[in-house]
Amino acid sequence: MTLYLVRHPQPDVAPGLCYGASDVPVTEAELARVHAGLALPRGLPVYSSPLRRCALLAERLAPGRVTLDARLAEMDFGAWELRPWSDIPRADVDAWAANLLHYRPGGAENVLDVARRVQGFIDELNESSALVICHAGTIRLMAALHGGVPLEQAALQAAQTPHRIGYGQLVVLGV
């Protein structure tokens, strides 16, 4: 299976804001910039996170052919959502860093929860190739899971991988 994974366009939010599962806006100019910069195979089935920063790009790439799937959404940071990272108590961030798999940032999901739902999406995907519009965290998880390691190891690997996936960047996972 070949997966063409595209990170959503840069959202229109203040820098340094924790916005994981929040449905934040994206500007028309940013959508157009990312769309113009993507060279993708035609006719692929298209799956997208339902968050509008993904869904709007997916619909622009494949009008009327997008399947929205909540399992592709970014991690839910609960009470941390829409707060500046600098306002989140250091002790809470340190607690998460000390227990990446099981700590629930803001009382919501943990990394293992997200890995389970992403694995569920992959397990049910019955395509030889597909385009997936999603989030940096989801892409890192898919890449780790693609390596064939056990779920917990893949989740930890994804959580420990430095975030270097740019807005609108294409990552291809193939077999």
Side-chain angles (χ1 to χ4, degrees), residues 3 5 101 111 114-115 118-119 122 136-161 165 171-173:
L3 294 177
L5 309 173
L101 284 183
V111 172
V114 181
V118 170
Q119 181 68 64
I122 293 168
T138 310
I139 292 171
R140 289 196 317 270
L141 277 164
M142 286 188 171
L145 290 164
H146 186 72
V149 297
L151 182 70
E152 285 193 11
Q153 185 179 343
L156 189 57
Q157 177 184 331
Q160 292 173 333
T161 300
I165 302 167
V171 174
V172 180
L173 300 178

Side-chain angles (χ1 to χ4, degrees), residues 52-67:
R52 69 179 140 171
R53 59 190 183 264
C54 297
L56 290 171
L57 177 61
E59 190 59 33
R60 184 165 292 198
L61 291 167
R65 297 188 307 109
V66 177
T67 301

Side-chain angles (χ1 to χ4, degrees), residues 11-172:
D12 189 18
V13 297
L17 195 69
C18 175
Y19 58 85
S22 295
D23 203 8
V24 295
V26 62
T27 66
E28 175 59 34
E30 181 63 5
L31 273 170
R33 181 194 70 77
V34 170
H35 181 242
L38 288 172
L40 298 164
R42 295 188 177 273
L44 293 173
V46 180
Y47 298 88
S48 176
S49 161
L51 298 177
R52 69 179 140 171
R53 59 190 183 264
C54 297
L56 290 171
L57 177 61
E59 190 59 33
R60 184 165 292 198
L61 291 167
R65 297 188 307 109
V66 177
T67 301
L68 300 178
D69 194 312
R71 295 173 294 184
L72 297 170
E74 185 58 281
M75 185 168 165
D76 185 347
F77 289 94
W80 292 9
E81 292 279 334
L82 300 178
R83 291 178 60 191
W85 283 101
S86 59
D87 286 356
I88 297 168
R90 184 68 204 179
D92 292 351
V93 175
D94 289 345
W96 183 28
N99 187 2
L100 287 171
L101 284 183
H102 301 288
Y103 184 82
R104 296 181 179 281
E109 286 184 297
N110 62 38
V111 172
L112 198 51
D113 293 335
V114 181
R116 284 184 185 114
R117 65 177 161 80
V118 170
Q119 181 68 64
F121 170 80
I122 293 168
D123 289 348
E124 290 180 19
L125 193 59
N126 190 21
E127 311 285 356
S128 60
S129 60
L131 172 60
V132 180
I133 312 299
C134 56
H135 310 270
T138 310
I139 292 171
R140 289 196 317 270
L141 277 164
M142 286 188 171
L145 290 164
H146 186 72
V149 297
L151 182 70
E152 285 193 11
Q153 185 179 343
L156 189 57
Q157 177 184 331
Q160 292 173 333
T161 300
H163 181 324
R164 293 193 177 107
I165 302 167
Y167 293 110
Q169 182 176 336
L170 170 65
V171 174
V172 180

